[in-house]
Amino acid sequence: MARDMEQRQSRSKAFLRNAADFLWPPRSLVSRERGLGKGPLAPHEFSQIHFLSGAVCDRCGTPLGTELDEGEICAVCIARPPRWDRARAAFVYDPASRRLVLDLKRSGRRDGLGTFAGWMTQAGRTLLDEADVIVPVPLHYGRLATRGFNQSAWLGGALSRRTGVPMVVDALKRTRRTPTQGGLSARARRRNVAGAFALRPNRAGHIQGKRVLLIDDVLTTGATLGACTRALRRAGARQVDVLVLARVVRETDVTI
């Protein structure tokens, strides 16, 4: 009886989903056109996204050459190790994927969050399996009030719901409002965010001795994530890993 009821409920839900898709076909996350396929991207759009599914540097998540294996560390990280322990990204930030990120970051488009969480879960499965708590990179309260949302918190919440790893959305705070990082060099970015993050004292118990998974939308030079990691380390975090939706990959940029 119970099994029959579950099957009927499952069929009803599937019918409602199909009806909704027929009446309101999902928009492509790239072109914004409706009805291009069953998924959030048209097939040709999906094929252009450079997913980081192969071997990547264990420390920074950048793709490794064919001569290196998964779990190894790239020359850049050997020369200048990042503050965090490990980093992973779902895909490369480039012209083909830019709209996915910018529609979330600047326009507050949320219909792709479930898809993004799935891609991030696949890229960061090991990190998520080991994490005790998810912490998103915070916005300054002034910018949050102006924008009305924090895309990193949205991604962290979607990951938390998908995996069951708890999120402490307000563990970190920005102690000062920093100028935008866009257009700054790696060194200028580090100076810009130096000392700009701190742990909220009432959240210390959620961080001390814990394995923290730090969430952001894009990893460029790592300046912001490094500053956040430093604040978490000072608060006694046992381990800090990083998981982002996308990362910039520059073959000649040793600042990543």
Side-chain angles (χ1 to χ4, degrees):
M1 180 73 72
R3 185 174 181 179
D4 290 342
M5 179 67 72
E6 289 177 0
Q7 289 176 341
R8 285 197 294 271
Q9 290 176 343
S10 178
R11 287 194 294 268
S12 296
K13 290 179 181 178
F15 173 79
L16 291 174
R17 284 196 300 269
N18 291 334
D21 286 345
F22 176 77
L23 294 172
W24 304 284
R27 289 184 183 273
S28 162
L29 294 175
V30 174
S31 68
R32 301 182 183 177
E33 295 181 9
R34 290 189 184 275
L36 295 181
K38 292 298 258 181
L41 301 176
H44 73 277
E45 295 169 344
F46 186 86
S47 67
Q48 293 173 357
I49 305 299
H50 183 185
F51 291 97
L52 292 171
S53 56
V56 297
C57 170
D58 199 44
R59 294 299 302 274
C60 72
T62 197
L64 294 174
T66 55
E67 71 278 5
L68 297 176
D69 297 321
E70 183 71 40
E72 297 198 40
I73 300 174
C74 69
V76 174
C77 287
I78 292 174
R80 189 184 201 130
R83 292 185 182 275
W84 58 78
D85 292 285
R86 297 170 297 179
R88 296 293 186 273
F91 55 77
V92 173
Y93 182 80
D94 58 16
S97 65
R98 183 174 290 121
R99 170 158 278 180
L100 297 175
V101 176
L102 295 185
D103 276 1
L104 172 69
K105 186 183 186 78
R106 297 180 181 173
S107 303
R109 183 177 178 182
R110 302 185 62 175
D111 56 323
L113 284 173
T115 298
F116 296 158
W119 293 345
M120 292 172 73
T121 298
Q122 184 173 357
R125 170 55 65 190
T126 301
L127 278 58
L128 283 159
D129 287 345
E130 297 179 7
D132 296 315
V133 62
I134 288 171
V135 172
V137 170
L139 289 178
H140 186 269
Y141 69 87
R143 185 164 293 163
L144 181 60
T146 300
R147 182 182 292 179
F149 64 90
N150 177 1
Q151 71 278 359
S152 299
W154 281 355
L155 290 170
L159 283 166
S160 180
R161 290 188 294 273
R162 187 180 186 90
T163 64
V165 180
M167 179 176 73
V168 183
V169 68
D170 60 346
L172 289 173
K173 64 178 180 179
R174 286 195 184 237
T175 58
R176 55 185 173 84
R177 186 166 184 169
T178 57
T180 179
Q181 297 276 67
L184 297 179
S185 67
R187 181 174 296 178
R189 284 172 179 252
R190 290 193 294 270
R191 286 199 303 265
N192 190 36
V193 296
F197 299 92
L199 187 81
R200 295 184 185 275
N202 62 343
R203 295 293 182 258
H206 295 279
I207 301 302
Q208 190 169 16
K210 300 297 178 61
R211 294 169 295 189
V212 178
L213 185 59
L214 189 60
I215 303 297
D216 205 2
D217 52 355
V218 182
L219 192 165
T220 305
T221 64
T224 297
L225 289 161
C228 288
T229 299
R230 185 178 184 184
L232 292 167
R233 296 277 194 204
R234 286 181 168 179
R238 171 183 166 190
Q239 178 176 305
V240 179
D241 292 324
V242 167
L243 181 57
V244 298
L245 178 61
R247 66 155 299 131
V248 174
V249 174
R250 300 171 182 162
E251 294 181 359
T252 59
D253 188 348
V254 297
T255 62
I256 293 176

